[in-house]
Amino acid sequence: MRAAVITQLNSAWEFQDLADPEPGPGQVVVRIHACGMCFSDVLVHRGHWPVRLPIVPGHEPVGEVVALGPGATTLRVGDRVGVSWMQRGEGRCLQCQSWHPVACEHTTTWMDMGGGYADLMVAWESGCTLLPDGLDYTDAAVAFCAGFTSMSGLRNADPRPGERVCVLGVGGLGHMAVQLAAAIGLETVVLTTSPDKAEYAEELGAAQGVVVGDDPGKALADAGGADIILATTTSADLVARVLSGLRYGGRLVTMGVTGPLQIDDMMTLLFKQCSIKGSTHNNRSDLVEVLTLMAAGKVRPRVETYPFAEINEVLKRVEAGQVRYRAVLTPN
């Protein structure tokens, strides 16, 4: 099979011919039809994730099951599936026994198995999720990181009917978060440093798009405030300074990988009784909910598509923040 391989950090990814993978017990082989790229791929490229080189990257893969290993009982050859970042837990720890394997300290991920920028990918059956009929592979790929992360952040915020959601940052995650919040009936406002994204916010389902400057918290408060802030930006500075825009009892959920987060606004935390929490992929039900909303036409990723051959150019575009709003690569 043909695959893009990281052989050295901060260097161009190499295309190599590798042996076709064979599924072990409980595993499947997926023929890749599409794989999205997000900023986490840039972080892998820079060495911020603990991967062992060489490795095939790619954590938003979707495709068709072409082989089953011994003991694979749920999936069938020909099934259309996507593969999650976290594919299985160890099974015996307290978290796994409590049916919460994403919290397992010994999870198996694409960083152990190899990712989806290849013709074929081996994955644990437990890490695969069926795609709804009619959902395009290119769109479906975005659900497996951007959509999953955004919905888990929204659900972890425990939204209540009538509450108002602010999405901070409109990239791969943010453009999905806006649509997901609107799809479940919540009024949504977008904060962004990009005027073009603020103008586009209403097309994504937001009631309002606001361009922020030095004081995002004041900008949010002036726009009516929010009960929930979904922070999808990679800027720790923006996250730290948006807190004052929360309403009483508000929740700030941060999902972007930022630098050190220093919160100075203790007055908002104390006297408005607000809270801050981090969130990433949580319950698998969040992913299924995203796929269901996408299949129903209520959420549609905005993607730029490229052939695998252009993967290094796409990586540069993602790193520079030039993609609107998710890059998806397909086999040549």
Side-chain angles (χ1 to χ4, degrees), residues 196-274:
D196 64 315
K197 292 182 177 181
E199 293 178 5
Y200 194 61
E202 292 185 19
E203 293 189 34
L204 293 172
Q208 185 180 5
V210 179
V211 180
V212 300
D214 294 333
D215 195 340
K218 183 178 184 304
L220 177 56
D222 290 345
D227 302 287
I228 295 168
I229 297 173
L230 301 179
T232 68
T233 177
T234 57
S235 170
D237 186 52
L238 279 177
V239 176
R241 290 186 290 115
V242 77
L243 204 63
S244 62
L246 280 172
R247 296 170 174 174
Y248 185 85
R251 290 86 74 199
L252 168 63
V253 180
T254 180
M255 296 173 281
V257 179
T258 70
L261 183 61
Q262 179 177 330
I263 303 296
D264 296 321
D265 186 8
M266 297 305 296
M267 298 296 283
T268 293
L269 281 178
L270 292 172
F271 293 105
K272 287 188 179 180
Q273 297 194 34
C274 295

Side-chain angles (χ1 to χ4, degrees), residues 9 42-50:
L9 298 177
V42 175
L43 296 178
V44 171
H45 174 69
R46 294 176 178 173
H48 293 290
W49 288 107

Side-chain angles (χ1 to χ4, degrees), residues 82-130:
V83 185
S84 297
W85 179 301
M86 197 287 288
Q87 298 182 25
R88 61 176 275 172
E90 67 172 328
R92 299 181 62 85
C93 70
L94 176 62
Q95 299 294 348
C96 290
Q97 289 292 298
S98 302
W99 289 98
H100 198 56
V102 293
C104 175
E105 294 183 0
H106 304 286
T107 58
T108 300
T109 75
W110 71 268
M111 291 187 286
D112 305 295
M113 307 285 289
Y117 295 135
D119 294 328
L120 299 169
M121 175 183 181
V122 66
W124 287 100
E125 182 183 39
S126 58
C128 298
T129 301
L130 291 168

Side-chain angles (χ1 to χ4, degrees), residues 72-87:
T73 59
T74 304
L75 296 179
R76 303 170 184 171
V77 170
D79 279 344
R80 296 177 351 113
V81 300
V83 185
S84 297
W85 179 301
M86 197 287 288
Q87 298 182 25

